[in-house]
Amino acid sequence: SLGSLTPDQKKSLGEIMRNGQNLLELINSVLDLAKIESGKMDLNLDAFDVVELAETVKTSLAPLIDKKQQTLTIHAQSGLPQLLADAVKVRQIFTNLIGNAIKFTPSGGEIDLFVEYHENCESLCRTHFASENIFDEVRERPAFLIRLRDTGIGIKPHEVNEIFEVFKQGDSSHTRTHSGTGLGLALTKQLVTLHSGFIVAHSEYGRGSEFKILLPQKVGNENVRSAN
């Protein structure tokens, strides 16, 4: 037996494990981004319950939420149809966004996830995605609107348009105290784009952020556009 560890040894071991996990996340994110950019990441379409998927993500992140005594509430429109998309990748989108909200929301803060479905997303495009160049094919189809709102530290106005870039994070003293690869939101945007969707961020610095995702409902085995 190697015997019991001292408090300092336990602390050092914990830091090693955290650094190893961060490195693994970085490697996986880089590999995923490389696959998308090279056009080698495909979508495996399947019909699934979006809210049920969100609930599984909430359960998997419960230890982090509980540790910071935060509240994550899922608000679902009644009578939602199933989403035809890649469930694994949509789960990753939820995990990245909620994990980001947990990280940058203080202890005791609130995180809310809203899921809606619209038969025609033309009005959604005008209301929530006016800054995006959304082509007519998407405007004319049904779509899911997913909004994630938190009471976190927010994003500085000049940084909002940069947070989806590779290795970009907020530059405030608050964000520098949080570990991260700087790839989570970049990968999230690529995964959303891979579904012919769009993601935008809105924030009031010091008072929280809101991320909005438009996920068009796919029909059968239609072709999907590249994230490039």
Side-chain angles (χ1 to χ4, degrees), residues 128-129 145-147 198-200 202 210-214:
H128 300 286
F129 302 89
L145 174 65
I146 298 162
R147 296 181 293 130
F198 295 84
I199 180 170
V200 295
H202 301 279
E210 182 176 26
F211 289 84
K212 300 177 183 179
I213 296 176
L214 179 73

Side-chain angles (χ1 to χ4, degrees), residues 8 14 29 40 45 76 82 99 153 160 164 189 193 196 201 215 217:
D8 285 343
S29 296
K40 294 181 179 179
L45 299 182
Q82 290 189 315
I153 62 176
V160 171
F164 295 113
K189 180 168 185 175
T193 305
S196 299
L215 279 183
Q217 179 74 300

Side-chain angles (χ1 to χ4, degrees), residues 89-128:
K89 293 176 179 61
V90 173
R91 180 189 175 102
Q92 190 170 3
I93 290 169
F94 280 149
T95 300
N96 289 353
L97 283 182
I98 296 174
N100 189 71
I102 294 170
K103 183 186 302 181
F104 293 111
T105 298
S107 296
E110 299 178 359
I111 303 169
D112 292 278
L113 179 69
F114 301 85
V115 183
E116 305 172 10
Y117 178 77
H118 297 258
E119 285 291 347
N120 187 302
C121 69
E122 173 67 35
S123 61
L124 292 182
C125 297
R126 290 197 306 267
T127 304
H128 300 286

Side-chain angles (χ1 to χ4, degrees), residues 179-219:
S179 62
T181 63
L183 290 177
L185 291 179
L187 179 57
T188 298
K189 180 168 185 175
Q190 293 282 29
L191 292 174
V192 170
T193 305
L194 197 62
H195 283 85
S196 299
F198 295 84
I199 180 170
V200 295
H202 301 279
S203 181
E204 185 176 351
Y205 186 58
R207 301 192 63 180
S209 303
E210 182 176 26
F211 289 84
K212 300 177 183 179
I213 296 176
L214 179 73
L215 279 183
Q217 179 74 300
K218 294 194 174 297
V219 181

Side-chain angles (χ1 to χ4, degrees), residues 6-20:
T6 66
D8 285 343
Q9 288 173 327
K10 288 182 180 179
K11 182 179 179 181
S12 296
L13 183 59
E15 290 176 354
I16 292 171
M17 292 179 67
R18 283 192 295 273
N19 289 337

